[in-house]
Amino acid sequence: MKSRNLLLGAAVIALGFTSCKDEKATEAEKKVDTYVVYVDSIGNVAEADAKTNWEAIDASYQMRINDAEAALENLKDKEKAQERIDASKAKYAALRDKMQDDMEVKEEVSSTPAPVNSKQQLRNALFGQGKIGDDMNFSWVNKDNIHSVYQQFIHTAEDNKDSYSREDWDEIKLMYEALDSRKNTVEKEGLSSEDNRKIAGLKFKFAPMLKVNRMGAKSEEMRDAKQ
């Protein structure tokens, strides 16, 4: 009787182990299937959506591949499962490389600076790189730097006067008047009498030069148009 009970106990334990192994194998197969299906599903996602959410997609992928590879230990046919995993790995790698290449190209294009138009090039030369844009904001000009701003503006215009077109001189006149308008504000903010005197000297020399060269450029343009 005792022997029979021992045999029955051993059988129950054996069935328990078998059942446990079957459950682990079933769970392992599910994890491999989940991984393979997930990789296939990525290929069906719209490319624009995939690029936008690529970090989340890749994080989810890493979790599933880790689960699938860990599940191999509980599978009978490990080689077949490994082949499925490797095939999905290759599919994912190809998709990932394509996405990364496309995103790098997009990043390069977006980071490429737009070509600077001739008007902005002129402003950069007269005031400094990027100091004056389309907003015509002169708030950066103050009582401490306005004299040097006039110096750069006027000396640059004088040095390049022979190369300016009529449109350039119109732009220079516009910028010059805007700078003068800013000077009126700066004077009330404590512009020193010495700097004010130096600016007056620069303006005294520049004003007639601006007028003569602007008129000359217009006359030359009219002459070229008639020819």
Side-chain angles (χ1 to χ4, degrees):
M1 185 69 178
K2 187 180 291 187
S3 298
R4 183 179 178 185
N5 288 338
L6 288 172
L7 288 172
L8 285 172
V12 169
I13 293 172
L15 285 172
F17 278 128
T18 301
S19 176
C20 184
K21 286 183 179 179
D22 288 344
E23 287 178 4
K24 286 184 177 180
T26 300
E27 186 64 25
E29 287 176 0
K30 286 181 179 179
K31 288 182 177 180
V32 173
D33 288 342
T34 298
Y35 167 70
V36 172
V37 170
Y38 179 74
V39 173
D40 290 340
S41 70
I42 297 173
N44 295 325
V45 175
E47 189 171 323
D49 292 336
K51 289 176 183 177
T52 302
N53 301 287
W54 187 252
E55 288 187 6
I57 290 173
D58 188 62
S60 186
Y61 171 85
Q62 297 303 330
M63 180 182 69
R64 285 170 169 76
I65 182 59
N66 289 337
D67 288 346
E69 290 183 330
L72 286 173
E73 294 299 323
N74 297 312
L75 292 173
K76 292 180 180 179
D77 196 346
K78 293 181 182 180
E79 291 186 4
K80 184 177 180 180
Q82 186 66 65
E83 288 176 359
R84 294 180 67 202
I85 290 174
D86 289 343
S88 292
K89 274 185 177 180
K91 185 183 294 185
Y92 180 80
L95 183 61
R96 179 196 61 211
D97 291 344
K98 182 179 185 303
M99 289 291 177
Q100 288 179 342
D101 288 344
D102 289 347
M103 287 188 285
E104 285 174 4
V105 169
K106 184 178 180 180
E107 184 177 346
E108 288 176 2
V109 171
S110 63
S111 63
T112 301
V116 180
N117 60 44
S118 58
K119 183 180 290 187
Q120 187 59 54
Q121 287 178 337
L122 179 59
R123 291 175 178 178
N124 290 343
L126 294 170
F127 294 105
Q129 188 70 31
K131 288 293 183 65
I132 296 295
D134 292 335
D135 58 359
M136 296 279 287
N137 185 354
F138 280 81
S139 61
W140 55 278
V141 179
N142 54 53
K143 64 183 180 61
D144 298 318
N145 65 14
I146 191 168
H147 175 230
S148 62
V149 172
Y150 267 101
Q151 280 184 312
Q152 177 171 339
F153 181 94
I154 291 174
H155 290 163
T156 299
E158 288 177 339
D159 292 342
N160 298 279
K161 64 180 184 295
D162 294 334
S163 62
Y164 290 145
S165 65
R166 181 188 63 80
E167 289 82 2
D168 292 334
W169 282 112
D170 287 345
E171 180 68 14
I172 291 169
K173 182 176 182 293
L174 178 66
M175 293 295 104
Y176 183 63
E177 290 172 348
L179 181 56
D180 278 348
S181 177
R182 178 59 182 171
K183 178 179 175 292
N184 293 334
T185 300
V186 171
E187 282 185 282
K188 300 173 185 177
E189 297 175 348
L191 177 63
S192 70
S193 57
E194 183 180 357
D195 281 346
N196 205 348
R197 179 178 54 78
K198 290 177 180 178
I199 292 170
L202 290 168
K203 288 169 57 64
F204 180 78
K205 291 170 55 180
F206 181 68
M209 188 203 80
L210 170 61
K211 184 177 181 180
V212 169
N213 282 274
R214 185 164 172 265
M215 290 177 61
K218 284 187 176 182
S219 298
E220 186 175 343
E221 186 178 81
M222 292 177 63
R223 185 172 62 251
D224 291 342
K226 289 180 180 179
Q227 293 177 351

